[in-house]
PDB file of all heavy atoms in Angstrom:
ATOM      1  N   ASN A   1      45.758 -93.790  90.116  1.00  0.00           N
ATOM      2  CA  ASN A   1      45.627 -93.377  91.507  1.00  0.00           C
ATOM      3  C   ASN A   1      44.216 -93.641  92.040  1.00  0.00           C
ATOM      4  O   ASN A   1      43.506 -92.736  92.429  1.00  0.00           O
ATOM      5  CB  ASN A   1      46.039 -91.913  91.687  1.00  0.00           C
ATOM      6  CG  ASN A   1      45.416 -91.020  90.635  1.00  0.00           C
ATOM      7  OD1 ASN A   1      44.569 -91.445  89.864  1.00  0.00           O
ATOM      8  ND2 ASN A   1      45.843 -89.778  90.596  1.00  0.00           N
ATOM      9  N   LEU A   2      43.843 -94.892  92.081  1.00  0.00           N
ATOM     10  CA  LEU A   2      42.542 -95.279  92.618  1.00  0.00           C
ATOM     11  C   LEU A   2      42.523 -95.124  94.126  1.00  0.00           C
ATOM     12  O   LEU A   2      43.536 -95.228  94.798  1.00  0.00           O
ATOM     13  CB  LEU A   2      42.240 -96.738  92.261  1.00  0.00           C
ATOM     14  CG  LEU A   2      42.062 -97.038  90.780  1.00  0.00           C
ATOM     15  CD1 LEU A   2      42.028 -98.535  90.560  1.00  0.00           C
ATOM     16  CD2 LEU A   2      40.798 -96.397  90.269  1.00  0.00           C
ATOM     17  N   GLY A   3      41.365 -94.908  94.646  1.00  0.00           N
ATOM     18  CA  GLY A   3      41.206 -94.885  96.089  1.00  0.00           C
ATOM     19  C   GLY A   3      41.568 -93.591  96.763  1.00  0.00           C
ATOM     20  O   GLY A   3      41.518 -93.510  97.981  1.00  0.00           O
ATOM     21  N   GLU A   4      41.911 -92.585  96.010  1.00  0.00           N
ATOM     22  CA  GLU A   4      42.275 -91.320  96.638  1.00  0.00           C
ATOM     23  C   GLU A   4      41.068 -90.489  97.002  1.00  0.00           C
ATOM     24  O   GLU A   4      41.138 -89.640  97.847  1.00  0.00           O
ATOM     25  CB  GLU A   4      43.205 -90.531  95.727  1.00  0.00           C
ATOM     26  CG  GLU A   4      44.547 -91.198  95.593  1.00  0.00           C
ATOM     27  CD  GLU A   4      45.560 -90.268  94.999  1.00  0.00           C
ATOM     28  OE1 GLU A   4      45.281 -89.070  94.880  1.00  0.00           O
ATOM     29  OE2 GLU A   4      46.643 -90.741  94.666  1.00  0.00           O
ATOM     30  N   ALA A   5      39.946 -90.751  96.348  1.00  0.00           N
ATOM     31  CA  ALA A   5      38.733 -90.004  96.659  1.00  0.00           C
ATOM     32  C   ALA A   5      37.536 -90.921  96.479  1.00  0.00           C
ATOM     33  O   ALA A   5      37.537 -91.801  95.631  1.00  0.00           O
ATOM     34  CB  ALA A   5      38.609 -88.791  95.747  1.00  0.00           C
ATOM     35  N   VAL A   6      36.531 -90.713  97.295  1.00  0.00           N
ATOM     36  CA  VAL A   6      35.297 -91.477  97.180  1.00  0.00           C
ATOM     37  C   VAL A   6      34.162 -90.471  97.076  1.00  0.00           C
ATOM     38  O   VAL A   6      34.059 -89.534  97.870  1.00  0.00           O
ATOM     39  CB  VAL A   6      35.094 -92.406  98.393  1.00  0.00           C
ATOM     40  CG1 VAL A   6      33.756 -93.110  98.298  1.00  0.00           C
ATOM     41  CG2 VAL A   6      36.235 -93.395  98.504  1.00  0.00           C
ATOM     42  N   HIS A   7      33.340 -90.653  96.054  1.00  0.00           N
ATOM     43  CA  HIS A   7      32.206 -89.766  95.829  1.00  0.00           C
ATOM     44  C   HIS A   7      30.949 -90.603  95.730  1.00  0.00           C
ATOM     45  O   HIS A   7      30.853 -91.479  94.869  1.00  0.00           O
ATOM     46  CB  HIS A   7      32.413 -88.950  94.555  1.00  0.00           C
ATOM     47  CG  HIS A   7      31.285 -88.027  94.243  1.00  0.00           C
ATOM     48  ND1 HIS A   7      30.997 -86.928  95.011  1.00  0.00           N
ATOM     49  CD2 HIS A   7      30.353 -88.050  93.266  1.00  0.00           C
ATOM     50  CE1 HIS A   7      29.952 -86.312  94.502  1.00  0.00           C
ATOM     51  NE2 HIS A   7      29.540 -86.978  93.447  1.00  0.00           N
ATOM     52  N   LEU A   8      29.999 -90.388  96.615  1.00  0.00           N
ATOM     53  CA  LEU A   8      28.749 -91.143  96.648  1.00  0.00           C
ATOM     54  C   LEU A   8      28.998 -92.648  96.706  1.00  0.00           C
ATOM     55  O   LEU A   8      28.320 -93.431  96.071  1.00  0.00           O
ATOM     56  CB  LEU A   8      27.866 -90.783  95.451  1.00  0.00           C
ATOM     57  CG  LEU A   8      27.432 -89.311  95.357  1.00  0.00           C
ATOM     58  CD1 LEU A   8      26.662 -89.052  94.083  1.00  0.00           C
ATOM     59  CD2 LEU A   8      26.610 -88.897  96.578  1.00  0.00           C
ATOM     60  N   GLY A   9      30.020 -93.041  97.453  1.00  0.00           N
ATOM     61  CA  GLY A   9      30.315 -94.454  97.635  1.00  0.00           C
ATOM     62  C   GLY A   9      31.131 -95.100  96.539  1.00  0.00           C
ATOM     63  O   GLY A   9      31.398 -96.293  96.571  1.00  0.00           O
ATOM     64  N   HIS A  10      31.552 -94.328  95.531  1.00  0.00           N
ATOM     65  CA  HIS A  10      32.331 -94.873  94.421  1.00  0.00           C
ATOM     66  C   HIS A  10      33.742 -94.286  94.430  1.00  0.00           C
ATOM     67  O   HIS A  10      33.922 -93.100  94.650  1.00  0.00           O
ATOM     68  CB  HIS A  10      31.671 -94.552  93.075  1.00  0.00           C
ATOM     69  CG  HIS A  10      30.315 -95.136  92.939  1.00  0.00           C
ATOM     70  ND1 HIS A  10      30.102 -96.461  92.691  1.00  0.00           N
ATOM     71  CD2 HIS A  10      29.090 -94.573  93.057  1.00  0.00           C
ATOM     72  CE1 HIS A  10      28.805 -96.696  92.643  1.00  0.00           C
ATOM     73  NE2 HIS A  10      28.157 -95.564  92.863  1.00  0.00           N
ATOM     74  N   THR A  11      34.719 -95.135  94.163  1.00  0.00           N
ATOM     75  CA  THR A  11      36.095 -94.664  94.061  1.00  0.00           C
ATOM     76  C   THR A  11      36.235 -93.817  92.798  1.00  0.00           C
ATOM     77  O   THR A  11      35.725 -94.169  91.744  1.00  0.00           O
ATOM     78  CB  THR A  11      37.062 -95.854  93.994  1.00  0.00           C
ATOM     79  OG1 THR A  11      36.861 -96.654  95.148  1.00  0.00           O
ATOM     80  CG2 THR A  11      38.507 -95.394  93.942  1.00  0.00           C
ATOM     81  N   VAL A  12      36.922 -92.716  92.922  1.00  0.00           N
ATOM     82  CA  VAL A  12      37.094 -91.786  91.813  1.00  0.00           C
ATOM     83  C   VAL A  12      38.567 -91.749  91.419  1.00  0.00           C
ATOM     84  O   VAL A  12      39.435 -91.555  92.266  1.00  0.00           O
ATOM     85  CB  VAL A  12      36.647 -90.359  92.228  1.00  0.00           C
ATOM     86  CG1 VAL A  12      36.862 -89.373  91.098  1.00  0.00           C
ATOM     87  CG2 VAL A  12      35.207 -90.372  92.687  1.00  0.00           C
ATOM     88  N   THR A  13      38.854 -91.961  90.147  1.00  0.00           N
ATOM     89  CA  THR A  13      40.223 -91.799  89.675  1.00  0.00           C
ATOM     90  C   THR A  13      40.419 -90.340  89.263  1.00  0.00           C
ATOM     91  O   THR A  13      39.490 -89.681  88.816  1.00  0.00           O
ATOM     92  CB  THR A  13      40.542 -92.700  88.468  1.00  0.00           C
ATOM     93  OG1 THR A  13      39.622 -92.418  87.427  1.00  0.00           O
ATOM     94  CG2 THR A  13      40.467 -94.160  88.837  1.00  0.00           C
ATOM     95  N   ARG A  14      41.603 -89.870  89.405  1.00  0.00           N
ATOM     96  CA  ARG A  14      41.932 -88.501  89.023  1.00  0.00           C
ATOM     97  C   ARG A  14      42.890 -88.560  87.840  1.00  0.00           C
ATOM     98  O   ARG A  14      43.846 -89.335  87.839  1.00  0.00           O
ATOM     99  CB  ARG A  14      42.613 -87.755  90.169  1.00  0.00           C
ATOM    100  CG  ARG A  14      41.765 -87.637  91.394  1.00  0.00           C
ATOM    101  CD  ARG A  14      40.637 -86.676  91.150  1.00  0.00           C
ATOM    102  NE  ARG A  14      39.816 -86.598  92.355  1.00  0.00           N
ATOM    103  CZ  ARG A  14      38.659 -85.996  92.399  1.00  0.00           C
ATOM    104  NH1 ARG A  14      38.168 -85.428  91.339  1.00  0.00           N
ATOM    105  NH2 ARG A  14      37.974 -85.964  93.509  1.00  0.00           N
ATOM    106  N   ASN A  15      42.606 -87.747  86.849  1.00  0.00           N
ATOM    107  CA  ASN A  15      43.511 -87.670  85.715  1.00  0.00           C
ATOM    108  C   ASN A  15      44.755 -86.888  86.116  1.00  0.00           C
ATOM    109  O   ASN A  15      44.684 -85.951  86.903  1.00  0.00           O
ATOM    110  CB  ASN A  15      42.831 -87.001  84.526  1.00  0.00           C
ATOM    111  CG  ASN A  15      41.763 -87.882  83.932  1.00  0.00           C
ATOM    112  OD1 ASN A  15      41.872 -89.104  83.976  1.00  0.00           O
ATOM    113  ND2 ASN A  15      40.734 -87.282  83.389  1.00  0.00           N
ATOM    114  N   ASP A  16      45.875 -87.309  85.585  1.00  0.00           N
ATOM    115  CA  ASP A  16      47.141 -86.657  85.865  1.00  0.00           C
ATOM    116  C   ASP A  16      47.437 -85.635  84.776  1.00  0.00           C
ATOM    117  O   ASP A  16      46.877 -85.684  83.678  1.00  0.00           O
ATOM    118  CB  ASP A  16      48.274 -87.684  85.924  1.00  0.00           C
ATOM    119  CG  ASP A  16      48.057 -88.708  87.017  1.00  0.00           C
ATOM    120  OD1 ASP A  16      47.495 -88.345  88.067  1.00  0.00           O
ATOM    121  OD2 ASP A  16      48.431 -89.870  86.823  1.00  0.00           O
ATOM    122  N   THR A  17      48.346 -84.728  85.070  1.00  0.00           N
ATOM    123  CA  THR A  17      48.783 -83.711  84.124  1.00  0.00           C
ATOM    124  C   THR A  17      50.289 -83.812  83.987  1.00  0.00           C
ATOM    125  O   THR A  17      50.999 -83.971  84.974  1.00  0.00           O
ATOM    126  CB  THR A  17      48.397 -82.304  84.619  1.00  0.00           C
ATOM    127  OG1 THR A  17      46.982 -82.261  84.810  1.00  0.00           O
ATOM    128  CG2 THR A  17      48.810 -81.240  83.643  1.00  0.00           C
ATOM    129  N   ILE A  18      50.764 -83.754  82.758  1.00  0.00           N
ATOM    130  CA  ILE A  18      52.200 -83.769  82.468  1.00  0.00           C
ATOM    131  C   ILE A  18      52.554 -82.388  81.904  1.00  0.00           C
ATOM    132  O   ILE A  18      51.840 -81.860  81.054  1.00  0.00           O
ATOM    133  CB  ILE A  18      52.555 -84.859  81.433  1.00  0.00           C
ATOM    134  CG1 ILE A  18      52.079 -86.236  81.906  1.00  0.00           C
ATOM    135  CG2 ILE A  18      54.044 -84.847  81.113  1.00  0.00           C
ATOM    136  CD1 ILE A  18      52.781 -86.790  83.100  1.00  0.00           C
ATOM    137  N   ALA A  19      53.647 -81.804  82.375  1.00  0.00           N
ATOM    138  CA  ALA A  19      54.053 -80.472  81.915  1.00  0.00           C
ATOM    139  C   ALA A  19      55.569 -80.389  81.831  1.00  0.00           C
ATOM    140  O   ALA A  19      56.290 -81.122  82.504  1.00  0.00           O
ATOM    141  CB  ALA A  19      53.530 -79.404  82.871  1.00  0.00           C
ATOM    142  N   VAL A  20      56.034 -79.491  80.969  1.00  0.00           N
ATOM    143  CA  VAL A  20      57.464 -79.190  80.857  1.00  0.00           C
ATOM    144  C   VAL A  20      57.638 -77.733  81.275  1.00  0.00           C
ATOM    145  O   VAL A  20      56.980 -76.845  80.729  1.00  0.00           O
ATOM    146  CB  VAL A  20      57.984 -79.391  79.423  1.00  0.00           C
ATOM    147  CG1 VAL A  20      59.463 -79.025  79.327  1.00  0.00           C
ATOM    148  CG2 VAL A  20      57.756 -80.820  78.952  1.00  0.00           C
ATOM    149  N   ASN A  21      58.532 -77.488  82.254  1.00  0.00           N
ATOM    150  CA  ASN A  21      58.765 -76.104  82.689  1.00  0.00           C
ATOM    151  C   ASN A  21      59.886 -75.469  81.865  1.00  0.00           C
ATOM    152  O   ASN A  21      60.465 -76.113  80.992  1.00  0.00           O
ATOM    153  CB  ASN A  21      59.046 -76.025  84.199  1.00  0.00           C
ATOM    154  CG  ASN A  21      60.323 -76.722  84.609  1.00  0.00           C
ATOM    155  OD1 ASN A  21      61.189 -77.028  83.793  1.00  0.00           O
ATOM    156  ND2 ASN A  21      60.449 -76.974  85.900  1.00  0.00           N
ATOM    157  N   LEU A  22      60.183 -74.201  82.123  1.00  0.00           N
ATOM    158  CA  LEU A  22      61.188 -73.478  81.341  1.00  0.00           C
ATOM    159  C   LEU A  22      62.588 -74.069  81.466  1.00  0.00           C
ATOM    160  O   LEU A  22      63.421 -73.901  80.581  1.00  0.00           O
ATOM    161  CB  LEU A  22      61.205 -72.004  81.752  1.00  0.00           C
ATOM    162  CG  LEU A  22      59.942 -71.211  81.397  1.00  0.00           C
ATOM    163  CD1 LEU A  22      60.008 -69.812  81.997  1.00  0.00           C
ATOM    164  CD2 LEU A  22      59.748 -71.152  79.905  1.00  0.00           C
ATOM    165  N   ASP A  23      62.872 -74.779  82.564  1.00  0.00           N
ATOM    166  CA  ASP A  23      64.172 -75.419  82.749  1.00  0.00           C
ATOM    167  C   ASP A  23      64.278 -76.743  82.004  1.00  0.00           C
ATOM    168  O   ASP A  23      65.341 -77.367  81.995  1.00  0.00           O
ATOM    169  CB  ASP A  23      64.435 -75.664  84.238  1.00  0.00           C
ATOM    170  CG  ASP A  23      64.609 -74.375  85.017  1.00  0.00           C
ATOM    171  OD1 ASP A  23      65.100 -73.382  84.421  1.00  0.00           O
ATOM    172  OD2 ASP A  23      64.264 -74.363  86.209  1.00  0.00           O
ATOM    173  N   GLY A  24      63.170 -77.202  81.407  1.00  0.00           N
ATOM    174  CA  GLY A  24      63.189 -78.462  80.674  1.00  0.00           C
ATOM    175  C   GLY A  24      62.851 -79.673  81.523  1.00  0.00           C
ATOM    176  O   GLY A  24      63.016 -80.804  81.085  1.00  0.00           O
ATOM    177  N   ASP A  25      62.370 -79.447  82.745  1.00  0.00           N
ATOM    178  CA  ASP A  25      61.983 -80.563  83.608  1.00  0.00           C
ATOM    179  C   ASP A  25      60.617 -81.079  83.190  1.00  0.00           C
ATOM    180  O   ASP A  25      59.681 -80.300  83.008  1.00  0.00           O
ATOM    181  CB  ASP A  25      61.915 -80.119  85.073  1.00  0.00           C
ATOM    182  CG  ASP A  25      63.249 -79.608  85.591  1.00  0.00           C
ATOM    183  OD1 ASP A  25      64.294 -80.086  85.115  1.00  0.00           O
ATOM    184  OD2 ASP A  25      63.237 -78.731  86.468  1.00  0.00           O
ATOM    185  N   LEU A  26      60.492 -82.393  83.019  1.00  0.00           N
ATOM    186  CA  LEU A  26      59.219 -83.035  82.714  1.00  0.00           C
ATOM    187  C   LEU A  26      58.575 -83.394  84.045  1.00  0.00           C
ATOM    188  O   LEU A  26      59.141 -84.166  84.825  1.00  0.00           O
ATOM    189  CB  LEU A  26      59.442 -84.280  81.859  1.00  0.00           C
ATOM    190  CG  LEU A  26      58.212 -85.015  81.356  1.00  0.00           C
ATOM    191  CD1 LEU A  26      57.396 -84.126  80.428  1.00  0.00           C
ATOM    192  CD2 LEU A  26      58.626 -86.292  80.644  1.00  0.00           C
ATOM    193  N   LEU A  27      57.415 -82.810  84.329  1.00  0.00           N
ATOM    194  CA  LEU A  27      56.784 -82.932  85.634  1.00  0.00           C
ATOM    195  C   LEU A  27      55.444 -83.651  85.521  1.00  0.00           C
ATOM    196  O   LEU A  27      54.715 -83.474  84.556  1.00  0.00           O
ATOM    197  CB  LEU A  27      56.550 -81.547  86.233  1.00  0.00           C
ATOM    198  CG  LEU A  27      57.783 -80.651  86.328  1.00  0.00           C
ATOM    199  CD1 LEU A  27      57.378 -79.241  86.712  1.00  0.00           C
ATOM    200  CD2 LEU A  27      58.780 -81.222  87.307  1.00  0.00           C
ATOM    201  N   LYS A  28      55.120 -84.437  86.543  1.00  0.00           N
ATOM    202  CA  LYS A  28      53.839 -85.133  86.614  1.00  0.00           C
ATOM    203  C   LYS A  28      53.090 -84.617  87.830  1.00  0.00           C
ATOM    204  O   LYS A  28      53.586 -84.655  88.949  1.00  0.00           O
ATOM    205  CB  LYS A  28      54.042 -86.635  86.740  1.00  0.00           C
ATOM    206  CG  LYS A  28      52.752 -87.423  86.908  1.00  0.00           C
ATOM    207  CD  LYS A  28      53.008 -88.911  87.004  1.00  0.00           C
ATOM    208  CE  LYS A  28      53.942 -89.320  88.090  1.00  0.00           C
ATOM    209  NZ  LYS A  28      53.419 -89.422  89.428  1.00  0.00           N
ATOM    210  N   TYR A  29      51.888 -84.106  87.599  1.00  0.00           N
ATOM    211  CA  TYR A  29      51.006 -83.642  88.666  1.00  0.00           C
ATOM    212  C   TYR A  29      49.918 -84.696  88.810  1.00  0.00           C
ATOM    213  O   TYR A  29      49.220 -85.008  87.845  1.00  0.00           O
ATOM    214  CB  TYR A  29      50.366 -82.297  88.302  1.00  0.00           C
ATOM    215  CG  TYR A  29      51.365 -81.174  88.209  1.00  0.00           C
ATOM    216  CD1 TYR A  29      52.114 -80.970  87.061  1.00  0.00           C
ATOM    217  CD2 TYR A  29      51.566 -80.322  89.277  1.00  0.00           C
ATOM    218  CE1 TYR A  29      53.033 -79.936  86.973  1.00  0.00           C
ATOM    219  CE2 TYR A  29      52.478 -79.281  89.204  1.00  0.00           C
ATOM    220  CZ  TYR A  29      53.209 -79.101  88.047  1.00  0.00           C
ATOM    221  OH  TYR A  29      54.113 -78.089  87.976  1.00  0.00           O
ATOM    222  N   SER A  30      49.777 -85.268  89.998  1.00  0.00           N
ATOM    223  CA  SER A  30      48.792 -86.334  90.166  1.00  0.00           C
ATOM    224  C   SER A  30      48.148 -86.281  91.537  1.00  0.00           C
ATOM    225  O   SER A  30      48.690 -85.700  92.471  1.00  0.00           O
ATOM    226  CB  SER A  30      49.437 -87.705  89.952  1.00  0.00           C
ATOM    227  OG  SER A  30      50.445 -87.936  90.910  1.00  0.00           O
ATOM    228  N   GLY A  31      46.989 -86.908  91.625  1.00  0.00           N
ATOM    229  CA  GLY A  31      46.320 -87.066  92.904  1.00  0.00           C
ATOM    230  C   GLY A  31      45.199 -86.092  93.142  1.00  0.00           C
ATOM    231  O   GLY A  31      45.024 -85.106  92.431  1.00  0.00           O
ATOM    232  N   PHE A  32      44.395 -86.409  94.134  1.00  0.00           N
ATOM    233  CA  PHE A  32      43.262 -85.569  94.514  1.00  0.00           C
ATOM    234  C   PHE A  32      43.761 -84.216  95.009  1.00  0.00           C
ATOM    235  O   PHE A  32      43.235 -83.179  94.652  1.00  0.00           O
ATOM    236  CB  PHE A  32      42.434 -86.279  95.586  1.00  0.00           C
ATOM    237  CG  PHE A  32      41.211 -85.530  95.994  1.00  0.00           C
ATOM    238  CD1 PHE A  32      40.152 -85.384  95.113  1.00  0.00           C
ATOM    239  CD2 PHE A  32      41.109 -84.961  97.252  1.00  0.00           C
ATOM    240  CE1 PHE A  32      39.014 -84.690  95.473  1.00  0.00           C
ATOM    241  CE2 PHE A  32      39.980 -84.269  97.623  1.00  0.00           C
ATOM    242  CZ  PHE A  32      38.923 -84.132  96.738  1.00  0.00           C
ATOM    243  N   VAL A  33      44.763 -84.239  95.853  1.00  0.00           N
ATOM    244  CA  VAL A  33      45.498 -83.024  96.228  1.00  0.00           C
ATOM    245  C   VAL A  33      46.813 -83.157  95.470  1.00  0.00           C
ATOM    246  O   VAL A  33      47.662 -83.957  95.833  1.00  0.00           O
ATOM    247  CB  VAL A  33      45.742 -82.947  97.752  1.00  0.00           C
ATOM    248  CG1 VAL A  33      46.576 -81.737  98.096  1.00  0.00           C
ATOM    249  CG2 VAL A  33      44.422 -82.960  98.501  1.00  0.00           C
ATOM    250  N   PRO A  34      46.971 -82.423  94.361  1.00  0.00           N
ATOM    251  CA  PRO A  34      48.086 -82.677  93.448  1.00  0.00           C
ATOM    252  C   PRO A  34      49.466 -82.678  94.097  1.00  0.00           C
ATOM    253  O   PRO A  34      49.793 -81.804  94.892  1.00  0.00           O
ATOM    254  CB  PRO A  34      47.978 -81.544  92.434  1.00  0.00           C
ATOM    255  CG  PRO A  34      46.552 -81.144  92.479  1.00  0.00           C
ATOM    256  CD  PRO A  34      46.136 -81.328  93.914  1.00  0.00           C
ATOM    257  N   THR A  35      50.225 -83.680  93.755  1.00  0.00           N
ATOM    258  CA  THR A  35      51.630 -83.748  94.124  1.00  0.00           C
ATOM    259  C   THR A  35      52.436 -83.664  92.832  1.00  0.00           C
ATOM    260  O   THR A  35      51.951 -84.030  91.773  1.00  0.00           O
ATOM    261  CB  THR A  35      51.967 -85.058  94.865  1.00  0.00           C
ATOM    262  OG1 THR A  35      51.608 -86.156  94.030  1.00  0.00           O
ATOM    263  CG2 THR A  35      51.214 -85.155  96.178  1.00  0.00           C
ATOM    264  N   VAL A  36      53.653 -83.184  92.929  1.00  0.00           N
ATOM    265  CA  VAL A  36      54.497 -83.002  91.754  1.00  0.00           C
ATOM    266  C   VAL A  36      55.686 -83.938  91.849  1.00  0.00           C
ATOM    267  O   VAL A  36      56.340 -84.019  92.885  1.00  0.00           O
ATOM    268  CB  VAL A  36      55.000 -81.545  91.645  1.00  0.00           C
ATOM    269  CG1 VAL A  36      55.848 -81.369  90.405  1.00  0.00           C
ATOM    270  CG2 VAL A  36      53.849 -80.574  91.658  1.00  0.00           C
ATOM    271  N   ALA A  37      55.959 -84.637  90.747  1.00  0.00           N
ATOM    272  CA  ALA A  37      57.140 -85.497  90.667  1.00  0.00           C
ATOM    273  C   ALA A  37      57.868 -85.188  89.366  1.00  0.00           C
ATOM    274  O   ALA A  37      57.235 -84.991  88.325  1.00  0.00           O
ATOM    275  CB  ALA A  37      56.729 -86.960  90.695  1.00  0.00           C
ATOM    276  N   THR A  38      59.177 -85.128  89.418  1.00  0.00           N
ATOM    277  CA  THR A  38      59.972 -84.915  88.212  1.00  0.00           C
ATOM    278  C   THR A  38      60.182 -86.254  87.530  1.00  0.00           C
ATOM    279  O   THR A  38      60.700 -87.193  88.132  1.00  0.00           O
ATOM    280  CB  THR A  38      61.322 -84.269  88.551  1.00  0.00           C
ATOM    281  OG1 THR A  38      61.081 -83.020  89.201  1.00  0.00           O
ATOM    282  CG2 THR A  38      62.150 -84.033  87.301  1.00  0.00           C
ATOM    283  N   ILE A  39      59.767 -86.339  86.266  1.00  0.00           N
ATOM    284  CA  ILE A  39      59.949 -87.563  85.481  1.00  0.00           C
ATOM    285  C   ILE A  39      61.333 -87.572  84.867  1.00  0.00           C
ATOM    286  O   ILE A  39      61.980 -88.603  84.776  1.00  0.00           O
ATOM    287  CB  ILE A  39      58.866 -87.671  84.396  1.00  0.00           C
ATOM    288  CG1 ILE A  39      57.488 -87.772  85.049  1.00  0.00           C
ATOM    289  CG2 ILE A  39      59.121 -88.849  83.481  1.00  0.00           C
ATOM    290  CD1 ILE A  39      56.336 -87.729  84.073  1.00  0.00           C
TER     291      ILE A  39
END
């Protein structure tokens, strides 16, 4: 996710988070303002 944030003139990549909820859904949290997608 390049280009979502710029700090001091440099593009900043954001690390994503992967999680499994109690229902067994594999979720991906990504972005500067996190969005959730079901994998």
Side-chain angles (χ1 to χ4, degrees):
N1 47 8
L2 295 170
E4 292 195 11
V6 176
H7 179 68
L8 299 175
H10 299 284
T11 303
V12 178
T13 57
R14 299 289 179 190
N15 290 329
D16 299 326
T17 302
I18 304 292
V20 178
N21 65 16
L22 293 173
D23 293 329
D25 299 329
L26 185 63
L27 306 170
K28 176 179 56 81
Y29 294 82
S30 62
F32 183 69
V33 176
T35 57
V36 181
T38 301
I39 297 174

